[in-house]
Amino acid sequence: MVKENLGQVLKNIEQACQKSGRDPKEVTLIAVSKTKPVPMLEEAYCAGSRDFGENKVQEIMDKYPVLPKDIHWHMIGHLQRNKVKYIVDKVCLIHSVDSLRLAEEISSQAEKKQVEVDILVEVNIAQEESKFGVSKEEAIQLVEAISKLPHIHIQGLMAIAPFVENPEDNRAYFRQIKKLSVDIMKKNIDNVSMSALSMGMTGDYMVAVEEGSTMVRVGTGIFGERNYS
Ligand SMILES: *Cc1c(COP(=O)(O)O)cnc(C)c1O
């Protein structure tokens, strides 16, 4: 099932790229494996997945040692400062940086572990109270402040769009995020790249790709519904 789903998602990404004149190689599919057991991740791995997304530090700690070392782990969930030390040397990208204090902790733990850490700044695009992330206005200030820290490198922006029935309803938000990343890029800030745009989930990743996403985070569409009970 996982293999077939993966194939379908990749086909959809390709189609969205075709429609918008993009190269599918620009888009990384992150298989969001939170709550899913290791054998399901192995199935995805065997079908070709190398990028996995998790939203809990503990789950990364549990899965990291038992899965192949060439997996790129993405931290996509809210990250508490006291847990940064457990994952800075395990993840390839932290998508969810939304405060200077968190960035400072990542920088300091990276120094201790002698690693360089790539991050994205999380933007709360629809200003939803239930979601983490900074406003578009705060984003620029935060990027500028983080850019001065050692051992931490901003690669772009991450956004979680509202849950909607019709993915078209999120198109304007994705467009705003893309525009924000271009505006920040034009500032040519040292130690800041805006090459990555992490947006789009199961319900809306095709629209996100059409609007410039370079990383889609798909869970349900690959692994099926999550069971939280
Ligand atoms: C769970 C999660 C996803 C995946 O959601 P699906 O709708 O299952 O594709 C993507 N991004 C973040 C930040 C998540 O927490």
Side-chain angles (χ1 to χ4, degrees), residues 7-57:
Q8 186 60 53
V9 172
L10 286 170
K11 216 185 272 175
N12 290 343
I13 291 172
E14 222 164 276
Q15 208 173 51
C17 283
Q18 232 161 37
K19 199 170 154 190
S20 50
R22 300 186 61 201
D23 182 347
K25 288 194 196 79
E26 292 171 13
V27 183
T28 302
L29 171 58
I30 299 173
V32 176
S33 46
K34 62 190 188 195
T35 79
K36 298 298 176 183
V38 167
M40 280 187 98
L41 278 74
E42 284 169 338
E43 220 181 314
Y45 181 90
C46 288
S49 290
R50 291 298 177 272
D51 291 86
F52 289 85
E54 291 284 345
N55 69 338
K56 291 213 163 68
V57 166

Side-chain angles (χ1 to χ4, degrees), residues 32 34 55 76-77 158 160 200-203 217-221 224 226 228:
V32 176
K34 62 190 188 195
N55 69 338
I76 61 172
M158 181 266 223
I160 306 179
M201 305 175 23
T202 295
R217 310 177 306 264
V218 179
T220 313
R226 285 176 292 276
Y228 285 104

Side-chain angles (χ1 to χ4, degrees), residues 98-204:
D98 62 357
S99 75
L100 184 57
R101 281 178 9 132
L102 174 59
E104 282 168 348
E105 177 63 13
I106 293 170
S107 174
S108 118
Q109 291 299 333
E111 160 113 61
K112 266 189 204 161
K113 296 238 159 69
Q114 300 268 305
V115 291
E116 301 296 313
V117 181
D118 288 334
I119 65 142
L120 304 178
V121 165
E122 179 175 354
V123 181
N124 184 349
I125 190 63
Q127 303 277 303
E128 290 175 286
E129 292 223 3
S130 59
K131 297 205 170 114
F132 294 100
V134 295
S135 69
K136 279 193 291 177
E137 293 72 29
E138 292 165 326
I140 300 184
Q141 282 180 315
L142 182 57
V143 165
E144 278 172 344
I146 294 176
S147 73
K148 300 187 176 76
L149 300 173
H151 310 294
I152 180 169
H153 311 287
I154 296 175
Q155 300 298 340
L157 304 177
M158 181 266 223
I160 306 179
F163 179 80
V164 289
E165 291 291 332
N166 180 358
E168 283 300 328
D169 294 347
N170 279 336
R171 188 179 292 277
Y173 288 129
F174 293 139
R175 217 168 262 181
Q176 282 176 37
I177 289 284
K178 171 71 188 183
K179 179 175 182 304
L180 178 63
S181 86
V182 171
D183 288 347
I184 295 175
M185 190 185 67
K186 283 184 186 152
K187 289 180 180 282
N188 270 318
I189 306 165
D190 266 1
N191 188 30
V192 173
S193 162
M194 280 287 134
S195 57
L197 212 49
S198 168
M199 57 188 197
M201 305 175 23
T202 295
D204 55 20

